[in-house]
Amino acid sequence: RKAAEKELSILTQITKNDTDGKKYGIRVLEHSEFRNHVVFVFESLSMNLRETLKKFGKHVGINVSAVRLYAKQLLIALRHISDQRIVHADIKLDNILVSEDLKQVTICDFGSAFRETDTDNDVPPYLQSRFYRAPEVMLGLTYDRHVDLWSVATCLYELFTGYVMFPGKSNNEMLRLHMDVKGRFSNK
């Protein structure tokens, strides 16, 4: 219940600060309680980017124009939540919904989200889904809302190519794959 109330608070803030609905974050329309469970009502969006990629670009990626359009919208969404010092902490293709006409994306599922300003953040040790997890999280370093930018970048790579950017089976393997691309981490 506490987690649902925190998510509702974040969703309400995001919706309230996007009065014209142009910031590409999921809009909570209504909420209520049913049998001691918090129930959210959202705008209707039937497909996520994982399903879109599977349907239109499995192992080849989707059209570069669509990737460019989605990138712009996702960066606007990130700026919107970043301006409010909110960290989504679980951006992945499954948590990005697509409109029926495939022209608009919306970030959803703020269940892992937190405000950087909150003092009671119980941040899990495995923040973010593995393929979209930022290196600073894997290394146990201090992190902030910039981890969401890493996740969006890996999503865009996957949309364009049809493949996961860093398909490691553990944090250590993921870090090795990062170093294969960028070289060794500095000693600092």
Side-chain angles (χ1 to χ4, degrees):
R1 179 167 193 84
K2 184 179 176 185
E5 288 172 353
K6 183 175 184 174
E7 183 176 5
L8 178 61
S9 169
I10 288 171
L11 287 167
T12 302
Q13 178 182 343
I14 289 167
T15 301
K16 183 183 81 172
N17 289 315
D18 181 17
T19 53
D20 57 356
K22 304 263 190 220
K23 303 294 184 188
Y24 307 104
I26 194 76
R27 299 174 61 77
V28 63
L29 303 176
E30 215 41 68
H31 70 278
S32 62
E33 194 171 314
F34 179 73
R35 294 185 182 162
N36 210 23
H37 292 280
V38 179
V39 178
F40 303 123
V41 178
F42 298 106
E43 55 195 315
S44 178
L45 296 164
S46 62
M47 197 164 46
N48 64 40
L49 277 180
R50 177 144 344 272
E51 295 163 333
T52 303
L53 181 60
K54 189 175 181 180
K55 186 174 180 178
F56 299 108
K58 189 173 186 173
H59 302 303
V60 294
I62 60 174
N63 180 306
V64 70
S65 298
V67 175
R68 187 179 299 120
L69 176 70
Y70 296 161
K72 182 178 179 183
Q73 294 173 10
L74 289 170
L75 293 174
I76 289 169
L78 277 189
R79 173 173 277 170
H80 178 61
I81 64 175
S82 176
D83 287 348
Q84 298 170 68
R85 302 206 50 204
I86 293 171
V87 180
H88 184 283
D90 196 23
I91 293 177
K92 55 187 176 185
L93 296 183
D94 310 79
N95 291 340
I96 303 169
L97 302 177
V98 185
S99 64
E100 294 292 327
D101 64 2
L102 305 174
K103 292 183 179 179
Q104 184 173 323
V105 293
T106 302
I107 295 178
C108 70
D109 191 356
F110 283 78
S112 299
F114 60 92
R115 291 179 184 90
E116 289 180 320
T117 55
D118 287 350
T119 56
D120 64 339
N121 285 325
D122 296 327
V123 180
Y126 285 99
L127 183 75
Q128 301 179 296
S129 296
R130 184 182 34 189
F131 299 146
Y132 310 96
R133 192 174 295 148
E136 56 266 41
V137 173
M138 289 182 230
L139 292 167
L141 301 174
T142 303
Y143 53 84
D144 56 19
R145 59 194 178 271
H146 296 102
V147 298
D148 288 340
L149 185 58
W150 174 275
S151 297
V152 165
T154 59
C155 286
L156 294 173
Y157 175 91
E158 190 171 347
L159 286 174
F160 184 66
T161 65
Y163 292 95
V164 173
M165 187 173 198
F166 300 110
K169 293 179 175 67
S170 68
N171 278 346
N172 285 344
E173 190 175 345
M174 296 287 290
L175 291 168
R176 183 187 58 74
L177 292 170
H178 295 169
M179 288 189 292
D180 287 349
V181 172
K182 287 296 291 174
R184 288 181 45 84
F185 290 104
S186 75
N187 291 334
K188 292 180 184 178

